[in-house]
Amino acid sequence: MTESFYMIMALLRKEMLTIFKDPSSRALLIVPPIIQAFLFGYVATFDLKEVNYAFNDRCHCEASRELRAEINGSGFFVEKPVSGGNSMDSYIDAMNREEILVIVSVDENFEKKVKNRGDAKVQVLLDGRNSTTAGTAGGYLSQIVSRFSEKKGFMNAPFSLEYRPLYNLNSITRWNILPALIATLSLIQVIMLSALSVARERERGTFEQLLVTPLTQMQILAGKAIPPIIVGLGQSSFILLVALFWFKVPFSGNILSLYFGLLLFTCACVGYGLSISAFAANMQQAMLYAFVLLVPLALLSGLMTPIANMPDVWQYMTWLNPLRYAIDFARRVYLEGAAIPELWYDLLPLALISMITLSFAGWMFRHHVV
Amino acid sequence: MRGFLRRLRALTVKEFRQLFRDRSNLLLGIGLPIILIFIFGYGITFDITGIKLGVVNMSGSEISRKLTSGVSGAPIFRVIRYTGVQEAEQDFVNQKIEGYLVFRNDFEREYRKGNGKIQFMMDGKDPNRAQTAYMYLTSALGGAISKDPGTPRVGITAETRMWFNQPASSTWYIVPGLVVLIMTLVGTFLTALVMAREYERGTLEAIFVSPVRPVEIIIGKIIPYFCVGILGFALCLLAARELFDVPIRCSILLLSLVSMLYLVVALAIGLLISAVTRNQFVASQLSVLVTFLPCIMLSGFIFDLRNTPEVILYIGHLLPSTYYMETLKTLFLAGDVHSVILKNSLILTLYAVGFTGITMMITRKRLD
């Protein structure tokens, strides 16, 4: 037993050295996840910051001036002067040049309609080149206009909607993305690292040497799997720290539960990575296969769009995707404080994927397909 | 000059052979674009649909029934009815529904007084989804009673029109972004990988000692991958037009010219990465890190850079893909807006010249 332990330790030491010996590859495993966590934490938001808009006032009346003040006072919309004078044409030119996102326009008889309790319309023109931003801006404007309508003495509907968001009370999109990044950012490098570790040895012919040592298949598997698992968990920890202490996303769950899920997830990733190397004749092929696998794994994971929004066929395919479970798990533990027994539907598939892929990879060490 | 062309032809032929010999290259060059087209065209949408919403109607009045049917009539919601709050809560906790509405016992009485209250609970993990649900709910509820006599007409209303993207479909802005992603991946990743392999194995030295010049080596390397990139571009364009009905409101010639320009930039970045690292492992990690996620996250593909803090906006504008992204969205959806295209093309040209120049300097230095 102790002998077997020392054998694995020796192999582990060698594997860790190949990963961390070269300063540039060492830096590549540590720096990028941290930088990415910062950048993506800031960029991954659908919350509007400030929207440049133009107010095309053809009424020049009290009502239009008040509406304009209301919009400017909302804090979301900033009026931006455009070149070429105050005409609809020059506003549209400015929109084409992406200088403004919205044109709000009221026509000549706006005042009269407001006074006579008529059907007063405010035209809102949105730049749909990013329809998500435009849709949100449009929604805010509708709310501002209906508030204005109330203010001008129009009666409101006889009911009101009392909205209470649960789990993310401040409605910050960043809170949704950061727990997901904890898993996503480590996925990429863990898969590449494990896919390369065997492929590199095969390319150089040293893998055969490893196979003739007294190490058993299980021991080689452990030696190949543990270093990327450590790297992955380390990367996840960096991102977790950024989420906790820089973005101050409050952690509601148990840290050990989170790490338990992440461990299973990283095992599944390593399983995929090592399995890829069975199909690759050299490093270049291993990289390409890993990459072609990575892209759908990262995109069809619920990171950016909920899986429930995808067509059924795609939803079934995501059952094979470890990241899908990890993201759900991380969000539920991080944001909702869920405990492990509640999350069996994430953990069980991760355990299954890990078992299947890792045993396949171990078997493949001797039964190489290429 | 004749010698130049002869040597270049020989090199290009060699590179093409090398490219075709390995199936994995074609998997990335052709397979990956097809996978991406399907993922982004069919799998990913930012249009919010199918919100599973519970309705607890404890009031049982005509008005609450009318409001409920108004909500279930909105295509964005899938309504599940409950008789008690507990059941709805249970399903909510088990994630069977994403939110629920509650009409209390006294809803009708309060409604007649003009202040009926409907409680709306929603999972806020995805605030964008919750916010959209809220907005659609308001308009569905308002619409349900708008024809009732005695309901006040809502006075001043906003009439919204989505310019450039009338159906407000996210596919329309995703597909141009997809072109950018594919060109970046094929251009940078594939080139970096292949070149780094040559450096690592020392096969480049073999070419260096032959009479070819560094410029010829680089051009010879670029041409086959340039063709692969153009193939990916053509596939995307075809898919945009035939599968996704995304309008292409610009001249195809202009679109192709800008794309070729960007492809040169992407290839040059790949060459630069491999020339600097000279190591397959580092080159592959580095090229994935600078292409895949930044292209998706930082170039304005999915997340609008206008909503990010100033610093991130500037960092995003360090990436050549940001300029290409801006240009493509404008070209596809708005048409030939010359001021945008000219500015961005100029910047891309500078990047192309800069990256190629640095790469050639490094290659030459290593040769000495």
Side-chain angles (χ1 to χ4, degrees), chain A residues 49 122 126 132-133 284 336, chain B residues 125 163 173 197 304 308:
Chain A
K49 196 177 74 178
V122 177
L126 301 159
T132 308
T133 308
Q284 189 184 335
E336 294 170 32
Chain B
K125 275 203 297 304
W163 200 248
Y173 74 84
R197 185 178 163 79
D304 204 322
T308 60

Side-chain angles (χ1 to χ4, degrees), chain A residues 195-265:
Chain A
L196 277 183
S197 78
V198 178
R200 172 157 44 190
E201 298 219 28
R202 283 204 201 277
E203 187 170 318
R204 296 188 177 156
T206 51
F207 198 68
E208 276 68 29
Q209 295 175 7
L210 199 59
L211 287 177
V212 296
T213 57
L215 289 161
T216 64
Q217 229 141 313
M218 279 304 285
Q219 286 169 329
I220 297 178
L221 181 66
K224 285 285 169 198
I226 292 173
I229 291 175
I230 294 174
V231 170
L233 288 178
Q235 291 192 333
S236 297
S237 308
F238 290 139
I239 303 153
L240 179 65
L241 290 177
V242 173
L244 283 174
F245 297 112
W246 182 264
F247 290 108
K248 301 217 160 54
V249 184
F251 189 81
S252 344
N254 181 322
I255 201 101
L256 285 176
S257 312
L258 182 71
Y259 271 91
F260 179 70
L262 286 176
L263 178 66
L264 278 184
F265 164 67

Side-chain angles (χ1 to χ4, degrees), chain A residues 22 24-25 28-29 32 36 39-40 42-49 92 95-98 101 110 114 118-136 139 142-143 145 148-149 152 154-156 158-168 171-173 176-177 185 188-189 192-193 196 200 203-204 282-285 287-289 291-292 295-296 298-300 304-306 309-311 314 331-332 335-336, chain B residues 22 24-25 27-28 32 35-36 38-40 42-49 92 95 101 111 114-131 134-135 137 141-142 145 152-153 155-165 168-170 173 185 189-190 193-194 197 200-201 280-282 284-286 288-289 292-293 296-298 302-310 312 315 326 329-330 333 337 339-340:
Chain A
D22 177 25
S24 55
S25 82
L28 265 178
L29 293 174
Q36 285 178 318
L39 288 179
F40 300 164
Y42 276 116
V43 83
T45 172
F46 292 110
D47 307 335
L48 290 189
K49 196 177 74 178
I92 286 182
M95 187 185 263
N96 281 338
R97 291 192 303 266
E98 295 199 296
L101 183 86
F110 185 66
V114 172
D119 210 6
K121 290 260 187 275
V122 177
Q123 260 96 37
V124 176
L125 202 61
L126 301 159
D127 177 353
R129 267 170 286 186
N130 185 324
S131 57
T132 308
T133 308
T136 316
S142 303
Q143 283 174 354
V145 171
F148 178 68
S149 169
K152 296 303 286 179
F154 284 96
M155 264 244 279
N156 212 2
F159 66 85
S160 58
L161 201 58
E162 294 182 319
Y163 172 43
R164 196 152 68 89
L166 297 168
Y167 302 133
N168 179 0
S171 294
I172 306 174
T173 1
N176 194 33
I177 199 95
L185 291 184
I188 295 175
Q189 285 184 303
M192 294 184 99
L193 204 57
L196 277 183
R200 172 157 44 190
E203 187 170 318
R204 296 188 177 156
N282 53 43
M283 278 171 84
Q284 189 184 335
Q285 284 190 358
M287 283 315 308
L288 291 173
Y289 292 148
F291 191 64
V292 171
V295 170
L299 294 173
L300 296 171
M304 293 167 300
T305 62
N309 272 8
M310 295 171 192
W314 294 97
R331 280 182 182 153
R332 303 259 271 141
L335 299 174
E336 294 170 32
Chain B
D22 193 340
S24 62
N25 282 331
L27 178 71
L28 188 96
L32 190 68
I35 295 174
L36 281 170
F38 277 93
I39 290 180
F40 278 101
Y42 296 111
I44 287 186
T45 166
F46 291 94
D47 308 333
I48 291 164
T49 53
F92 179 75
Q95 313 254 303
L101 291 176
Y111 179 86
N115 60 348
K117 289 195 167 51
I118 306 166
Q119 282 165 310
F120 169 42
M121 244 66 76
M122 175 96 188
D123 186 341
K125 275 203 297 304
D126 182 351
N128 191 39
R129 198 167 167 86
Q131 187 67 30
Y134 177 79
M135 285 195 260
L137 258 183
L141 291 167
I145 54 157
R153 286 182 66 97
I156 307 167
T157 48
E159 211 177 34
T160 318
R161 220 158 30 110
M162 199 75 87
W163 200 248
F164 305 128
N165 186 348
S169 149
S170 63
Y173 74 84
L185 294 185
F189 184 70
L190 198 57
L193 206 57
V194 172
R197 185 178 163 79
E200 197 176 300
R201 295 189 141 189
Q280 283 189 77
F281 177 75
V282 181
S284 58
Q285 297 264 335
L286 195 62
V288 168
L289 290 169
F292 178 47
L293 281 181
I296 291 181
M297 307 285 280
L298 287 178
I302 284 163
F303 299 107
D304 204 322
L305 284 178
R306 287 170 291 196
N307 295 337
T308 60
E310 215 94 312
I312 309 291
I315 295 175
E326 243 179 58
K329 279 185 184 173
T330 299
L333 301 178
V337 183
S339 57
V340 175

Side-chain angles (χ1 to χ4, degrees), chain B residues 86-105:
Chain B
Q86 265 100 36
E87 297 154 51
E89 234 165 48
Q90 187 84 48
D91 276 6
F92 179 75
V93 170
N94 293 330
Q95 313 254 303
K96 284 196 187 121
I97 52 174
E98 294 164 69
Y100 56 98
L101 291 176
V102 183
F103 294 93
R104 298 233 161 258
N105 291 324

Side-chain angles (χ1 to χ4, degrees), chain B residues 195 199 204-205 207-209 212-219 221 268 270-276 278 355-368:
Chain B
M195 286 295 285
Y199 276 114
L204 218 54
E205 322 268 281
I207 308 177
F208 277 158
V209 294
V212 287
R213 298 189 198 114
V215 194
E216 295 159 1
I217 296 175
I218 288 181
I219 298 176
K221 289 273 170 203
L271 285 175
L272 184 59
I273 288 176
S274 59
V276 171
R278 309 185 118 208
F355 284 130
T356 331
I358 298 172
T359 312
M360 281 209 272
M361 250 168 57
I362 291 175
T363 322
R364 192 171 298 146
K365 214 184 281 167
R366 297 271 156 112
L367 193 64
D368 290 339

